[in-house]
Amino acid sequence: MLRRRKGSEPEKTSEGDSKDRREDESKTEKGKVKVESAKKWSCIDSCCWFIGFICSIWWFLLFLFNAMPASFPQYVTEAITGPLPDPPGVKLRKEGLTVNHPVVFVPGIVTGGLELWEGHQCADGLFRKRLWGGTFGELYKRPLCWVEHMSLDNETGLDPPGIRIRPVSGLVAADYFAPGYFVWAVLIANLARIGYEEKTMYMAAYDWRISFQNTEVRDQSLSRIKSNIELMVATNGGKKVVVIPHSMGVLYFLHFMKWVEAPAPMGGGGGPDWCAKHIKAVMNIGGPFLGVPKAVSALFSAEAKDIAVARGIAPSFLDSDVFGLQTLQHVMRMTRTWDSTMSMIPKGGDTVWGGLDWSPEAEYSCSPKKHMSNETKIADQTDKESLGLKNTLNFGRIISFGKDVAEAHSSRIERLDFRGAVKGKNFVNTTCRDIWTEYDDMGIGGVKAVVDYKSYTADSILDLLHFVAPKMMSRGDSHFSYGIADNLDDPKYKHYKYWSNPLETKLPNAPDMEIYSMYGVGIPTERAYIYKLIPGAECYIPFQIDTSAEGSGKDSCLKGGVFSVDGDETVPVLSAGFMCAKGWRGKTRFNPSGIQTFIREYDHAPPANLLEGRGTQSGAHVDIMGNFALLEDIIRVAAGAIGKDLGGDRVYSDIFKWSEKIKLKL
């Protein structure tokens, strides 16, 4: 019995040890699982870490910005690039230049601030706060309310019932577009350095959304400009003003010069010599005298090159109902109520912009060669080193449906006329079209007819826009014109609709006045587009720039469905320079008094480093407002210089050669 008991105890012990070991192993495995699960990194952890990292960096940089001396960024920049040149105002003050002629700034489209004076219930608390410009805070807080208030009446082009938005007044109206993003601020600061102040500077702010004549009808903006110029001349010893329009402001002031001399009630009643008595010079910056192709793509599909790229990366994102918004549809509905955009539709038709098989810039090469010439090129524009003469491109086809259509000879393109196509609300799916656009009234037949025409030049673009946006264009026809006058003495050209088209109006009788065309060159600028019909056209804007269309070779002018030429990224050289290069050069039927014209081109150079900000040698459409060479030219003229003192024309592009290819009766 004792042996049995002794023999059984080790067995029990062995079984107990085994059980204990299994329990220990189980606990160990559970512990490992817990450790592994604790170490697992979730998506939420990543997001929180990223947000915390960004916030920490932001607060650190904000601390440094407030803690460091104001001169520290300049010290770092000079340590990297060497001593910085004096700003133009400082440089010219050292030369002895002081305040002389009063200056008037005329801002362009979208750069002037707009504030709310009356609105609907959703806009409570926004009285006299900026809805356009500044921080754009209300766009993020209440986007649909913002779109509703920024839109105009689709029938009248004026205020919708119960809404009043008016331009901000004073120099602050357009000194900065948004915090840190200057427009006129740098020029104002440099003029101040030679003695200018608010009594010798005036910002001619206006509501850039409405047609030019309607700015007078609704706000008396043209009368205010007239009165302020007369006051500045009277209070500054009779010295004439120097007017500096930018972008669409160039067309607006062209309209003003006809309005101010025209008899009332259509005009300002200033008499035929008002401009001669009050204006020394008009220094146009980035002027779209003959329109811009970018306006066509904006009105046709609410796109430009950058939007098209975003739309291609994220198909249907901008079209679809994201967070309750159909972004592009809202943008299209809103911008098509802004009559001013129609002022920038290309003018001059195929005579200026080219047809199916020719264009003035047909031999332009997009090689990234640096412009090699300046004044010496004026006499000889045949220098092939400037831009190269390689390929013949059909820039005249502003819109083509398909790359093959854009490249084929016109004789090989079968086109079906869209003008007689039957429209109708015959889309299959109506549930996804919550945002009304005029495409909703076209139906499948109308959309297909647009595609079947295949290629559109400047002449047929007008018919296209009448077809796809009849309400918009019916308003535009009463305020703007896009042709070439046969006889400028015809009484019909006394109507205000012709006053902003330099090809259908005469310059004022002011032989002592000077007109400058100042713009950037050396940046690829949109000239023509390749489009496609997108799937599900019944739900979205049916037409889209085909970003998959690429040219052959790295020097091709076709990138991402957009053909580019020389310009300032917004306005092609042809539009900015033609009138001063040929249309107004000397005594012509468009310039009967022989006002002197000058072209001043600024070759684009990007900033050398991030500390330079937007650069001091930029030729980009808005950034050029900080270009030191341009600022110096303006300040010299304001201080009393004339065009010959600046050296006359300064040309880097082939504008004179391209202008000679345009057969226009002068």
Side-chain angles (χ1 to χ4, degrees):
M1 295 292 292
L2 291 174
R3 288 181 182 176
R4 287 180 183 174
R5 287 175 182 171
K6 289 180 181 179
S8 62
E9 286 178 0
E11 289 179 5
K12 289 181 180 180
T13 303
S14 177
E15 289 176 3
D17 292 342
S18 177
K19 185 177 181 180
D20 292 340
R21 283 196 299 271
R22 286 196 299 269
E23 289 176 356
D24 292 339
E25 289 174 359
S26 176
K27 290 179 181 179
T28 304
E29 288 176 359
K30 288 181 180 179
K32 289 181 179 179
V33 171
K34 289 181 180 179
V35 172
E36 289 175 1
S37 63
K39 291 182 178 180
K40 189 176 180 180
W41 193 261
S42 68
C43 180
I44 295 177
D45 294 326
S46 300
C47 292
C48 292
W49 183 89
F50 178 75
I51 293 171
F53 176 76
I54 294 297
C55 291
S56 299
I57 293 295
W58 169 255
W59 286 110
F60 177 70
L61 293 176
L62 190 63
F63 169 77
L64 289 180
F65 178 78
N66 288 281
M68 71 174 63
S71 60
F72 184 74
Q74 180 178 349
Y75 173 79
V76 174
T77 303
E78 291 184 350
I80 297 173
T81 63
L84 294 176
D86 285 334
V90 175
K91 173 186 174 183
L92 298 179
R93 184 179 61 194
K94 291 178 180 178
E95 293 182 14
L97 272 65
T98 58
V99 58
N100 192 350
H101 293 274
V103 295
V104 177
F105 311 119
V106 186
I109 193 169
V110 310
T111 54
L114 300 174
E115 61 186 16
L116 182 72
W117 281 80
E118 180 184 2
H120 293 162
Q121 185 176 359
C122 67
D124 285 348
L126 299 181
F127 176 68
R128 292 208 63 199
K129 290 188 177 179
R130 289 199 184 196
L131 290 191
W132 187 273
T135 61
F136 286 91
E138 301 310 317
L139 170 60
Y140 311 122
K141 295 177 183 176
R142 28 189 156 185
L144 295 180
C145 182
W146 181 85
V147 169
E148 178 186 6
H149 284 74
M150 284 299 299
S151 299
L152 296 168
D153 188 276
N154 202 33
E155 300 291 340
T156 65
L158 294 170
D159 295 321
I163 293 176
R164 282 187 297 144
I165 290 181
R166 298 294 180 262
V168 177
S169 60
L171 295 178
V172 297
D175 54 352
Y176 288 90
F177 175 66
Y181 192 89
F182 69 82
V183 182
W184 293 92
V186 177
L187 176 56
I188 292 170
N190 279 276
L191 284 168
R193 287 187 172 104
I194 67 166
Y196 278 86
E197 50 190 283
E198 199 151 10
K199 68 181 181 181
T200 48
M201 293 189 286
Y202 168 62
M203 182 71 71
Y206 60 98
D207 189 338
W208 44 261
R209 301 172 301 160
I210 62 181
S211 68
F212 301 158
Q213 191 68 8
N214 273 343
T215 64
E216 174 65 17
V217 171
R218 195 194 73 180
D219 301 333
Q220 292 74 55
S221 294
L222 298 174
S223 294
R224 293 171 189 271
I225 296 173
K226 176 177 180 286
S227 298
N228 276 279
I229 290 177
E230 290 172 345
L231 177 64
M232 294 173 82
V233 171
T235 56
N236 284 276
K239 294 177 181 177
K240 301 176 185 179
V241 299
V242 173
V243 184
I244 310 167
H246 173 245
S247 189
M248 191 187 75
V250 169
L251 303 179
Y252 186 69
F253 195 76
L254 191 63
H255 180 98
F256 170 83
M257 287 194 294
K258 295 299 293 184
W259 172 88
V260 74
E261 295 189 344
M266 186 180 295
D273 59 350
W274 191 94
C275 291
K277 290 180 178 178
H278 295 88
I279 302 175
K280 174 189 187 292
V282 183
M283 308 190 76
N284 303 288
I285 304 174
F289 288 104
L290 302 179
V292 288
K294 183 180 280 191
V296 174
S297 64
L299 294 172
F300 186 57
S301 63
E303 286 181 293
K305 179 170 61 177
D306 298 336
I307 297 295
V309 170
R311 206 176 176 191
I313 293 173
S316 300
F317 181 82
L318 292 176
D319 303 271
S320 61
D321 196 356
V322 179
F323 304 120
L325 297 174
Q326 291 170 291
T327 311
L328 283 183
Q329 286 92 321
H330 279 295
V331 169
M332 173 173 284
R333 187 187 66 170
M334 179 177 67
T335 56
R336 281 190 177 181
T337 67
W338 297 350
D339 289 354
S340 63
T341 57
M342 289 179 279
S343 70
M344 294 184 287
I345 294 173
K347 303 175 178 69
D350 293 2
T351 301
V352 171
W353 293 92
L356 289 174
D357 293 317
W358 85 277
S359 66
E361 317 100 317
E363 295 175 332
Y364 173 75
S365 171
C366 291
S367 170
K369 287 182 181 179
K370 191 74 174 173
H371 292 289
M372 300 298 293
S373 54
N374 47 25
E375 291 87 348
T376 60
K377 197 169 180 184
I378 299 168
D380 183 12
Q381 284 286 331
T382 61
D383 183 3
K384 296 184 180 181
E385 288 298 319
S386 62
L387 293 173
L389 300 179
K390 295 182 179 180
N391 303 316
T392 300
L393 298 172
N394 298 324
F395 292 120
R397 304 177 190 183
I398 296 178
I399 287 180
S400 299
F401 280 91
K403 182 183 175 183
D404 55 337
V405 173
E407 296 176 343
H409 190 273
S410 61
S411 61
R412 299 180 180 178
I413 303 175
E414 296 182 5
R415 305 164 78 197
L416 299 177
D417 199 343
F418 64 92
R419 296 172 182 87
V422 177
K423 296 183 180 181
K425 296 184 179 180
N426 55 350
F427 281 119
V428 176
N429 186 352
T430 60
T431 60
C432 56
R433 293 186 293 106
D434 298 328
I435 308 304
W436 178 85
T437 67
E438 290 183 285
Y439 283 125
D440 298 345
D441 294 334
M442 288 181 59
I444 295 174
V447 170
K448 187 175 184 300
V450 169
V451 177
D452 288 342
Y453 195 69
K454 296 185 178 178
S455 190
Y456 296 84
T457 62
D459 280 343
S460 53
I461 281 292
L462 294 174
D463 294 329
L464 172 65
L465 292 176
H466 275 95
F467 187 77
V468 302
K471 288 187 177 182
M472 177 190 76
M473 291 302 291
S474 66
R475 298 193 315 272
D477 286 343
S478 63
H479 288 280
F480 304 106
S481 182
Y482 311 100
I484 301 173
D486 293 324
N487 178 15
L488 285 168
D489 294 324
D490 190 323
K492 76 175 185 179
Y493 291 112
K494 294 181 180 180
H495 193 274
Y496 60 77
K497 67 179 287 184
Y498 300 102
W499 292 348
S500 60
N501 182 357
L503 301 175
E504 292 186 297
T505 190
K506 297 178 184 179
L507 288 177
N509 183 22
D512 295 331
M513 192 170 80
E514 294 180 331
I515 294 181
Y516 297 78
S517 186
M518 314 168 78
Y519 54 89
V521 296
I523 307 178
T525 303
E526 297 171 45
R527 178 65 164 83
Y529 305 89
I530 293 177
Y531 270 85
K532 65 180 180 180
L533 178 65
I534 64 173
E538 69 271 17
C539 291
Y540 315 124
I541 297 172
F543 310 114
Q544 178 180 341
I545 295 174
D546 186 0
T547 54
S548 65
E550 296 284 347
S552 56
K554 62 180 181 179
D555 295 341
S556 173
C557 292
L558 173 61
K559 295 185 185 299
V562 179
F563 286 99
S564 299
V565 292
D566 197 9
D568 69 358
E569 202 170 34
T570 295
V571 183
V573 164
L574 187 68
S575 179
F578 173 78
M579 292 309 298
C580 284
K582 184 175 181 178
W584 291 332
R585 183 64 54 124
K587 283 191 176 184
T588 70
R589 65 192 183 105
F590 306 110
N591 181 16
S593 66
I595 295 172
Q596 279 195 298
T597 62
F598 299 95
I599 292 179
R600 303 288 290 177
E601 293 184 345
Y602 303 89
D603 200 11
H604 174 71
N609 55 68
L610 292 176
L611 294 175
E612 281 193 20
R614 290 153 64 191
T616 59
Q617 301 179 63
S618 176
H621 187 63
V622 178
D623 293 354
I624 197 174
M625 302 295 281
N627 185 298
F628 277 14
L630 177 136
L631 298 177
E632 184 173 330
D633 286 347
I634 291 174
I635 295 172
R636 287 188 183 279
V637 172
I642 60 176
K644 291 181 180 179
D645 297 332
L646 301 183
D649 294 319
R650 180 177 60 199
V651 178
Y652 297 98
S653 72
D654 283 333
I655 182 59
F656 285 102
K657 182 177 72 175
W658 294 341
S659 297
E660 287 305 312
K661 292 184 179 182
I662 297 174
K663 305 305 178 184
L664 185 66
K665 183 178 72 172
L666 298 176

